[in-house]
Amino acid sequence: MKYFYLLTISLVCLSSQLFAQYRIEAKFKNLRDSVCYLTYYYEDVNYVQDSAKVNANGVVVFQAKQNLEPGLYNLMIGGWKSIDILVVEQQFSFEADAKDLVNSIKFTGSRENDLFYSYQQKIVREGVKIALLEAKTDSVSINKKYAIQYELEQYRKKFVTAFAGTFASKLIKATMPMDLPPAPKLSNGQEDPLWSNKFFVNHFFDNFDLTDDRMIRTPYIHQNVASYFEPLTYLPIDSLISLSRKIVEKAGRNTAMRKYLITKTTGFFETSKTMGHDAVFVYMMKKYYLQEPQLWDENTIKLVKERVFYLEKLLIGSKIPDVKLTDLAGKEQTLHAQNADCTILYIYAADCGHCKNFTPQLVQLHRRYADKGLLVFAPIFGNDLETWGEFIKHYQTQDFVNVIDQTGNVNFFQEFDAQYTPTIYILDKEKRVVGKGNLAIEDMEQIVVRYLGK
């Protein structure tokens, strides 16, 4: 019976280990009866993966029957204390003193965390020395500080090289700034003044392994997609499309990273306030959503098809779709039938605060250029005739071509991408889009003057 009992206990223990696909055990000194949270990084937010309570012996165990998605995780132990841990190995343990987590932590069964914390402990130790020297102003202390900083920089580079291929090395490399080589000489013998800009454009992502899906569960990729494009918004659309493609193509085919980069890059241009960037957005949707349907679910593909169908007709240079609406006299008016050298399509709402502030400015702009060929075609959201009439009278827009959709058949939100009010399009004589978006009245005037009389 004794042997049977021991065998049973052994089988139970073995069974629990076999079915626990991931198991992280931590033993803390100076921590008791506290709830701990295992969280993972995704962009700039930490999401709770699991929670467990520290027992009377300072031990806490996280485990489940499925693997964790590999990446950078954070263990919150209470009292606003936490430590990062790398999840590459699915089963490992560590010990640490809650009063000095980084310096005291020791891992068993995780080479990745061993590497990561050997680096962190070095940085912390040297950081303490630098902090003490910061308070001193004598030349000896200043030189010592610079020497430590230089040695740390060399240490980082050596670490990344020595342990290349490990997740720990990739994470540390992702936090390192680019090394800018000396500027090359131009044909006139002078250094290229645009060298730093060119290097930024071509090498910004050199320190990021965009073939590794684990990098998605870190804060680094999210921050840097926006950081890359924000200073480049002045570039031509073709250049932005080319750069977007280069970023996506750094990831492997049919990978989580590829999907992530497509989503982030497309999203940047979808929400960009720069006029014309919707062309990059449409390009990305057509190439990477519609041509790579295996990455997306059916509903996403359906929505993208609809969005592309309508947005392509609204891009700069496209002839805007026609629309038939009713004016104040009850007469039908179409946008394309308006005879003007330049037309402003002004889609507004009577209860829109921004419309109330902007409409008087537009009235003044129209008055300045009406006799030179400017026309404002102004559909209102909704079909309340009384509200419509009151708005026209109050804001003195009688000289606009004021129209309303009495039938309710026009979907301005979809057909004219009127996701906010006012939505503004500036059209040339042929009703091609030459300006659009959230434009200041001064910017609108510059575009209008350019196309009047053409």
Side-chain angles (χ1 to χ4, degrees):
M1 287 296 292
K2 180 175 69 173
Y3 295 123
F4 176 76
Y5 176 76
L6 292 174
L7 178 60
T8 302
I9 294 297
S10 299
L11 288 173
V12 169
C13 293
L14 178 60
S15 176
S16 66
Q17 292 176 3
L18 288 174
F19 286 102
Q21 293 300 307
Y22 87 82
R23 188 178 193 278
I24 301 173
E25 179 179 323
K27 185 175 182 179
F28 292 104
K29 184 180 178 182
N30 295 313
L31 185 66
R32 301 287 185 275
D33 300 321
S34 176
V35 176
C36 296
Y37 296 91
L38 181 65
T39 70
Y40 61 89
Y41 287 93
Y42 186 79
E43 300 191 341
D44 54 357
V45 180
N46 281 78
Y47 294 91
V48 175
Q49 175 72 46
D50 201 352
S51 64
K53 189 174 182 179
V54 179
N55 66 21
N57 296 317
V59 176
V60 61
V61 178
F62 298 94
Q63 63 181 13
K65 293 182 179 179
Q66 70 279 354
N67 283 343
L68 289 173
E69 291 287 342
L72 182 64
Y73 284 67
N74 184 268
L75 183 58
M76 304 172 66
I77 67 171
W80 300 105
K81 292 183 178 180
S82 68
I83 51 170
D84 286 337
I85 57 175
L86 279 56
V87 172
V88 177
E89 301 92 351
Q90 293 290 324
Q91 298 191 15
F92 59 88
S93 62
F94 65 89
E95 296 182 6
D97 188 335
K99 293 183 178 180
D100 188 9
L101 290 168
V102 173
N103 288 316
S104 64
I105 198 165
K106 294 181 179 178
F107 287 85
T108 301
S110 177
R111 178 174 180 264
E112 289 281 0
N113 279 295
D114 280 336
L115 291 174
F116 187 66
Y117 273 94
S118 68
Y119 172 84
Q120 297 294 346
Q121 289 162 358
K122 168 77 171 176
I123 297 298
V124 169
R125 287 195 303 270
E126 300 305 305
V128 171
K129 295 178 185 178
I130 291 172
L132 292 173
L133 292 169
E134 287 282 3
K136 300 179 180 181
T137 57
D138 61 284
S139 60
V140 173
S141 297
I142 292 172
N143 289 333
K144 282 183 178 180
K145 181 186 70 172
Y146 289 151
I148 294 172
Q149 290 173 333
Y150 177 79
E151 191 273 334
L152 273 182
E153 185 61 30
Q154 298 308 305
Y155 172 74
R156 289 188 183 95
K157 293 177 180 178
K158 290 177 182 177
F159 184 97
V160 167
T161 301
F163 302 107
T166 65
F167 189 44
S169 173
K170 293 178 182 182
L171 284 178
I172 293 162
K173 189 176 182 179
T175 66
M176 293 170 61
M178 295 180 293
D179 283 331
L180 181 65
K185 303 286 186 181
L186 298 175
S187 57
N188 60 7
Q190 300 296 315
E191 289 187 351
D192 185 351
L194 299 177
W195 171 241
S196 60
N197 293 341
K198 294 174 182 177
F199 190 85
F200 172 91
V201 170
N202 294 316
H203 297 279
F204 183 84
F205 287 97
D206 282 3
N207 285 351
F208 301 89
D209 187 350
L210 299 183
T211 66
D212 193 332
D213 289 346
R214 296 173 297 187
M215 294 299 293
I216 295 173
R217 289 192 173 228
T218 72
Y220 307 127
I221 302 300
H222 160 70
Q223 295 169 352
N224 285 282
V225 169
S227 297
Y228 179 67
F229 281 112
E230 280 168 359
L232 301 178
T233 54
Y234 66 91
L235 290 176
I237 299 302
D238 287 348
S239 296
L240 291 173
I241 287 174
S242 176
L243 293 175
S244 299
R245 290 186 61 175
K246 286 180 180 178
I247 291 173
V248 171
E249 296 306 325
K250 288 178 181 292
R253 302 290 297 181
N254 302 326
T255 62
M257 178 61 80
R258 185 180 185 85
K259 184 175 180 178
Y260 182 82
L261 291 174
I262 292 169
T263 302
K264 297 307 298 182
T265 306
T266 304
F268 178 86
F269 290 105
E270 179 183 20
T271 58
S272 173
K273 301 300 183 183
T274 303
M275 186 172 68
H277 277 186
D278 52 346
V280 185
F281 173 60
V282 169
Y283 175 88
M284 295 293 289
M285 287 197 297
K286 289 177 68 176
K287 179 168 181 61
Y288 292 111
Y289 283 84
L290 301 186
Q291 293 184 24
E292 299 187 19
Q294 70 278 6
L295 291 175
W296 320 98
D297 59 77
E298 291 183 5
N299 189 54
T300 297
I301 295 298
K302 179 183 176 182
L303 292 174
V304 167
K305 284 182 178 178
E306 291 178 356
R307 195 107 164 87
V308 167
F309 175 79
Y310 290 107
L311 283 186
E312 274 195 307
K313 303 173 184 178
L314 303 171
L315 298 178
I316 299 291
S318 299
K319 188 167 185 177
I320 203 164
D322 201 4
V323 61
K324 183 185 291 185
L325 300 166
T326 305
D327 65 15
L328 281 167
K331 181 181 177 183
E332 286 188 343
Q333 297 278 356
T334 63
L335 176 58
H336 283 194
Q338 305 305 312
N339 185 20
D341 290 325
C342 185
T343 301
I344 295 175
L345 173 61
Y346 184 63
I347 304 171
Y348 69 98
D351 60 352
C352 159
H354 187 49
C355 300
K356 293 174 183 178
N357 293 328
F358 189 81
T359 300
Q361 300 177 59
L362 184 59
V363 168
Q364 293 302 316
L365 177 66
H366 180 248
R367 287 175 181 172
R368 288 197 294 274
Y369 296 100
D371 60 346
K372 296 181 176 63
L374 176 63
L375 177 142
V376 177
F377 191 82
I380 187 172
F381 262 112
N383 54 13
D384 187 313
L385 297 179
E386 184 177 351
T387 301
W388 182 39
E390 290 174 356
F391 188 94
I392 293 170
K393 182 178 180 181
H394 180 79
Y395 291 96
Q396 301 179 13
T397 64
Q398 293 89 345
D399 292 335
F400 292 179
V401 179
N402 290 290
V403 287
I404 196 168
D405 176 27
Q406 289 187 316
T407 65
N409 292 330
V410 180
N411 187 341
F412 289 107
F413 181 84
Q414 189 173 51
E415 295 176 36
F416 291 90
D417 197 34
Q419 300 186 43
Y420 54 85
T421 51
T423 292
I424 298 170
Y425 292 91
I426 304 176
L427 314 174
D428 68 7
K429 189 173 185 178
E430 305 302 324
K431 301 299 182 289
R432 291 186 295 261
V433 179
V434 295
K436 61 186 294 188
N438 187 22
L439 300 170
I441 200 72
E442 297 81 8
D443 297 326
M444 290 180 64
E445 185 166 10
Q446 289 183 13
I447 298 171
V448 166
V449 169
R450 193 184 314 152
Y451 285 90
L452 286 178
K454 285 190 176 182

